[in-house]
Amino acid sequence: MAAESPSSVRKVVVHLRATGDAPILKQAKFKILGSDKFAKVIDFLRRQLHRDTLFVYVNSAFSPNPDELVIDLYNNFGFDGKLVVNYACSMAWG
Amino acid sequence: MMDLLHWDGTLSAKDFRIGAVAFAQKWESLNFAFPPWVWVPCPKHPWLASPELLQEEGYLSMEKICISRLNEEDIDQTTQIDTDEEEASCSGNKDVIDDATLVQRNHHELHYYDFHIVYSNTFRVPVLYLRAYCSDGQPLQLDEIEKELPTCSSKELSKSKWTFITQEEHPHLKRPWYKLHPCGTGEWMKLLFLNDTAQPKFEVVLELYLLSWFSVVGQVVGLRIPFKMLNDR
């Protein structure tokens, strides 16, 4: 991983993983600013999949609050230089 | 030995109790933003049950969580007064500033929240019940609660979840509470653990079940799980 200079903003590699019977995205990997909120990832998914209700979670059986910072999620749940974000469709609330 | 592939994401009543206790213990030791959850036993037939059975049925309770903030009205009023204040200072009148402070104090009321985690025999999963009230005991309606609980910055995301909050009779207390509808819970609980890279055994799943469950439902009511609770595995 590149060393951070005070003026650089760290980007996080996010890998979106379809689970259940969710459609697989053509572009499943992208970079996002660490200082961005997780809501941005969820929003991106909603737009790509044209779905409003998505169930989004990370690999430790946990669904992050949309206000969490991506960098915090990466630091706690990332591995192999990326943050894997799982998604499934519309079964969340009844 | 239960294997995750064939698990339906639900729990038996007995497993709920085990999971609830584990969750409460973890919460108490690692979540300092809130008071601890307390297990409240509710035996069906207290006159028949043995001491062991007496402890079996019950729910988790975290009550009198104080949420106080200015309601929307006050914020608007304050803004209006600020505008007047500016005009007033131009004309040299400074008394308006004191009025603004007074308005805030008068309308500042405390709201209290009670949260219960109750087992649903029908769905075989935990269910979040909540209610809110003023310091004089006057209950808050759902739309007032909705406005007040911290929502995430993405309003659309939290909005859809609120549509699944209904008013129902609390299964043990027989009074109207609000509950977050549990259907679908088994499905997403199964997903959460099926895709857990640690691939835990069922005993570990049981220990973590309520924690993972709460990471999802807590979002609806603005209660966040600190990372150190999740990392402690």
Side-chain angles (χ1 to χ4, degrees):
Chain A
M1 266 183 290
E4 264 178 84
S5 67
S7 55
S8 73
V9 185
R10 190 177 184 178
K11 283 204 168 181
V12 171
V13 175
V14 173
H15 181 188
L16 298 171
R17 193 169 152 253
T19 63
D21 50 9
I24 300 172
L25 289 173
K26 263 193 216 150
Q27 195 201 334
K29 280 193 184 155
F30 63 97
K31 282 188 190 171
I32 182 176
L33 282 174
S35 51
D36 275 337
K37 289 189 179 177
F38 188 61
K40 206 164 184 184
V41 177
I42 304 176
D43 251 355
F44 174 80
L45 269 170
R46 285 169 67 227
R47 281 182 279 115
Q48 292 291 303
L49 298 170
H50 309 293
R51 311 257 182 155
D52 275 338
T53 23
L54 279 180
F55 183 57
V56 188
Y57 57 108
V58 296
N59 52 283
S60 301
F62 154 67
S63 181
N65 188 300
D67 281 337
E68 300 287 5
L69 295 181
V70 173
I71 187 66
D72 290 336
L73 291 173
Y74 173 75
N75 286 335
N76 283 278
F77 308 103
F79 65 95
D80 263 359
K82 62 187 186 293
L83 175 68
V84 175
V85 174
N86 302 305
Y87 62 92
C89 291
S90 78
M91 65 189 63
W93 308 98
Chain B
M1 173 92 294
M2 166 88 74
D3 98 80
L4 284 184
L5 269 176
H6 298 103
W7 179 50
D8 64 355
T10 67
L11 293 178
S12 65
K14 187 175 183 181
D15 284 343
F16 168 74
R17 159 118 171 93
I18 296 170
V21 169
F23 174 69
Q25 281 172 350
K26 226 180 238 264
W27 181 283
E28 176 152 27
S29 57
L30 294 168
N31 191 349
F32 305 118
F34 294 94
W37 291 89
V38 174
W39 177 261
V40 180
C42 288
K44 267 192 218 129
H45 307 289
W47 58 92
L48 290 175
S50 62
E52 299 83 47
L53 270 179
L54 272 171
Q55 277 297 302
E56 197 110 309
E57 196 171 317
Y59 58 90
L60 280 176
S61 161
M62 184 174 67
E63 298 189 347
K64 298 202 181 61
I65 307 304
C66 187
I67 294 182
S68 83
R69 66 163 219 209
L70 294 170
N71 57 41
E72 297 299 319
E73 247 177 41
D74 294 331
I75 292 169
D76 285 348
Q77 279 184 337
T78 313
T79 316
Q80 279 175 24
I81 287 167
D82 281 343
T83 317
D84 291 339
E85 191 189 311
E86 265 180 73
E87 290 171 352
S89 356
C90 286
S91 60
N93 183 358
K94 295 203 178 121
D95 291 334
V96 184
I97 301 166
D98 293 334
D99 285 339
T101 319
L102 268 176
V103 168
Q104 286 184 27
R105 274 197 226 120
N106 287 341
H107 290 241
H108 195 217
E109 53 181 24
L110 296 179
H111 292 158
Y112 297 92
Y113 284 76
D114 291 347
F115 297 101
H116 287 182
I117 300 178
V118 187
Y119 180 71
S120 160
N121 283 296
T122 319
F123 293 95
R124 292 170 44 91
V125 292
V127 183
L128 183 70
Y129 281 78
L130 71 137
R131 68 169 182 173
Y133 43 94
C134 304
S135 36
D136 62 358
Q138 176 78 9
L140 267 75
Q141 297 306 307
L142 190 58
D143 57 346
E144 298 171 273
I145 296 176
E146 220 176 311
K147 271 192 231 153
E148 183 167 64
L149 282 179
T151 54
C152 65
S153 51
S154 175
K155 293 276 184 274
E156 298 78 36
L157 289 172
S158 40
K159 231 188 231 176
S160 63
K161 290 168 184 173
W162 277 93
T163 60
F164 293 95
I165 296 192
T166 55
Q167 187 170 53
E168 288 211 19
E169 188 179 85
H170 190 294
H172 298 290
L173 303 178
K174 309 298 180 198
R175 287 198 302 271
W177 277 60
Y178 291 107
K179 100 172 188 198
L180 182 57
H181 211 276
C183 60
T185 300
E187 277 186 82
W188 49 260
M189 283 307 303
K190 175 168 181 166
L191 271 185
L192 278 173
F193 283 104
L194 218 55
N195 292 289
D196 186 350
T197 47
Q199 295 180 335
K201 293 215 167 99
F202 193 70
E203 299 97 44
V204 181
V205 168
L206 199 47
E207 240 190 79
L208 300 172
Y209 188 101
L210 268 288
L211 189 56
S212 297
W213 171 83
F214 199 83
S215 76
V216 181
V217 305
Q219 285 179 45
V220 184
V221 293
L223 297 179
R224 186 189 155 268
I225 297 236
F227 290 143
K228 50 183 185 294
M229 272 188 83
L230 296 150
N231 285 328
D232 177 56
R233 297 171 62 132

